[in-house]
Amino acid sequence: MIDWQIDSWRKLPIKQVPEYNDQNHITQVEKELSIRPPLVFAEEVRRLRKRMADVAEGKAFLLQGGDCAESFAEHNANNIKDSFKVLLQMAVVLTFGSALPVIKIGRLAGQYSKPRSSPLEVIDNVSLPSYRGDMVNDMAFNDQSREPDPERLLKVYDKSASTLNLLRAFASGGMADLTKLHEWNLEFVRGTKEAEKYKELADKITFSMEFMNACGMTPENTAQLRETEFYTSHEGLLLNYEEALTRKDTITEEKGWFSTSAHMLWIGDRTRNIDEAHVEYMRGIANPIGLKCGPSTDPDDLLRLIEKLNPLNQPGRLTLIARMGSSEVYSKLKPLISAVKKSGLIVGWCCDPMHGNTVKASSGFKTRKMNDIMTEVKGFFDVHKEMDTIPGGVHFEMTGQNVTECVGGVYEVTETNLADRYHTHCDPRLNATQSLELAFLLADLLSDNRNISRKLVSTAC
Ligand code: TRP
Ligand code: MN
């Protein structure tokens, strides 16, 4: 990589980062982080790059999901387990519907910092720095809480390490075993239409598993039935943290630099300026990376960014995560796809139907409507069909908790329900029932897209 150093981003303008008062303190924390063990291993990262190459070619489908922002207060085993279970349920629905491998990536184990639309928040004429996620400051509205604290980077490392440890245990220790797929249902989903649909699908898979077991392929002798690959990702926003966890791969031939804070990092829509720090840092690491593309993305700018981030045009290196909004998905996405297609540059296309569809309910809560989310997902598939390109995956903000943050869905959350269980630290998330509903919609779109008949349910329920 020409002219790139692990810290070359520091010479460039940077957006959306906190200003630390005590420079010595942050430097000390960076030093401490830089001698801590990596959270992920280069070989895993390389394997994900291969998987993402399959996504770009339409040989696999990407499912990326998790909290908008993780928080210290909600960091516990139950929350991690429940999010994991919902992701498994969605994955199994998608695998069945598409007959493709589903690449599972959590927005987990590091998603603790947030870009904000304004650096300051004003309440009753008091103006304080905005809350930028638990990696930076505290949500409480007072001077001390809002002061950026470098120690938080160490806390994020610790929390992420323990999350990742549990996820690895779940992924390979028996939780993901396909014979347990009935157990992934969460208590509060029971009794809903989505739970019925899921049960019917789970029964079908169980029959197939019984057949395969009879043929001699069992979870004991076949790891693919017992385990799953689960990867982690977050927005690479706090580059002090990322740089300290960027390591040279010493074990294998490829001599590159790897971010070891997660398998995949993405660049946010607000920090994708080609001459600025975030793009500079990301261009030098060997991980698969994502680039969020909002409605303001210009096709020519996008091509330049792609060339900068993936100069060798390696498949699997770059995934474009479009977040256009339900009404603009067609008009804004088509010119981007068209430009990329003509250029011959290799990218994966992923749909984030969350961030372009955030609205304020009359009660003041930030929310998203299931209808808008579904419309954007459908629009994303439609444009790709028209352009003869690959709708490679989806990126959701969801949780295993029974929250009421997005409105609509079969288990109707209304605007007046929003206050019941509105717990997010940032954007409104899909709850488990809404996540499943979306997975079923996607499974239908995918089976149509691949011209395979996969009626998921025999009865109209
Ligand atoms: N190993 C396969 C996979 O990860 C099959 C599988 C095992 C699976 N457990 C799963 C698929 C849970 C979805 C969900 O795809
Ligand atoms: Mn968000």
Side-chain angles (χ1 to χ4, degrees), residues 14-177:
I14 189 163
K15 290 205 179 83
Q16 295 289 346
V17 293
E19 277 179 31
Y20 293 106
N21 270 336
D22 184 348
Q23 280 309 311
N24 282 339
H25 193 175
I26 180 73
T27 308
Q28 218 183 337
V29 165
E30 286 167 12
K31 248 198 202 129
E32 160 74 28
L33 275 175
S34 69
I35 54 172
R36 291 201 179 183
L39 295 177
V40 305
F41 167 46
E43 196 58 29
E44 297 173 316
V45 171
R46 252 193 301 272
R47 192 176 60 207
L48 179 59
R49 221 167 54 197
K50 278 198 203 118
R51 303 286 183 258
M52 297 304 281
D54 288 343
V55 166
E57 280 184 60
K59 291 188 194 149
F61 191 75
L62 167 67
L63 172 65
Q64 188 171 25
D67 280 323
C68 174
E70 291 175 281
S71 73
F72 295 161
E74 295 201 12
H75 180 261
N76 60 57
N78 276 341
N79 283 351
I80 299 167
K81 183 178 74 208
D82 291 347
S83 291
F84 185 74
K85 280 181 171 178
V86 177
L87 282 166
L88 286 186
Q89 283 190 300
M90 294 178 87
V92 91
V93 171
L94 294 177
T95 310
F96 192 89
S98 67
L100 286 175
V102 172
I103 313 307
K104 305 153 199 79
I105 309 185
R107 275 176 77 107
L108 275 168
Q111 176 57 18
Y112 286 95
S113 65
K114 300 305 304 165
R116 301 315 303 262
S117 47
S118 161
L120 295 172
E121 186 177 353
V122 184
I123 299 181
D124 296 336
N125 288 326
V126 180
S127 163
L128 288 175
S130 292
Y131 168 63
R132 290 182 178 274
D134 281 4
M135 196 171 197
V136 176
N137 55 6
D138 189 273
M139 200 150 62
F141 194 74
N142 63 62
D143 263 334
Q144 207 196 349
S145 301
R146 290 296 171 92
E147 178 66 32
D149 178 4
E151 289 298 315
R152 288 173 171 270
L153 300 194
L154 296 172
K155 204 160 169 187
V156 162
Y157 174 92
D158 292 340
K159 300 271 181 203
S160 300
S162 64
T163 303
L164 197 54
N165 184 52
L166 194 58
L167 291 171
R168 289 184 193 283
F170 286 156
S172 61
M175 167 91 82
D177 189 323

Side-chain angles (χ1 to χ4, degrees), residues 88 91-92 95 102 104 176-178 184 224-225 227-229:
L88 286 186
V92 91
T95 310
V102 172
K104 305 153 199 79
D177 189 323
L178 280 173
W184 303 337
Q224 287 92 328
L225 301 178
E227 297 176 5
T228 190
E229 285 175 17

Side-chain angles (χ1 to χ4, degrees), residues 68-69 107 111 114 355 368 397 426-427:
C68 174
R107 275 176 77 107
Q111 176 57 18
K114 300 305 304 165
H355 287 92
R368 290 162 174 159
E397 289 185 348
C426 193
D427 291 336

Side-chain angles (χ1 to χ4, degrees), residues 44-60 62 64 103 105 231 254 258 263-266 282 285-291 306 309-321 344-350:
E44 297 173 316
V45 171
R46 252 193 301 272
R47 192 176 60 207
L48 179 59
R49 221 167 54 197
K50 278 198 203 118
R51 303 286 183 258
M52 297 304 281
D54 288 343
V55 166
E57 280 184 60
K59 291 188 194 149
L62 167 67
Q64 188 171 25
I103 313 307
I105 309 185
Y231 298 95
E254 190 177 330
F258 285 78
H263 301 103
M264 178 193 185
L265 296 179
W266 71 85
M282 294 284 182
I285 54 171
N287 304 56
I289 57 173
L291 177 67
I306 298 173
L309 291 168
N310 189 16
L312 302 178
N313 207 18
Q314 287 172 320
R317 156 73 175 160
L318 184 62
T319 303
L320 303 178
I321 309 170
L345 296 169
I346 301 166
V347 300
W349 287 102
C350 174

Side-chain angles (χ1 to χ4, degrees), residues 18 64 69 94 104 107 121 128 145 150 158 170 196 202 208-209 215 246 266 309 332 334 358 396 398-399 404 427 430:
Q64 188 171 25
L94 294 177
K104 305 153 199 79
R107 275 176 77 107
E121 186 177 353
L128 288 175
S145 301
D158 292 340
F170 286 156
E196 279 297 305
S208 321
M209 291 279 290
C215 299
T246 302
W266 71 85
L309 291 168
K332 299 285 182 185
K334 203 171 154 185
T358 317
F396 293 131
M398 40 75 63
T399 170
T404 50
D427 291 336
L430 300 167

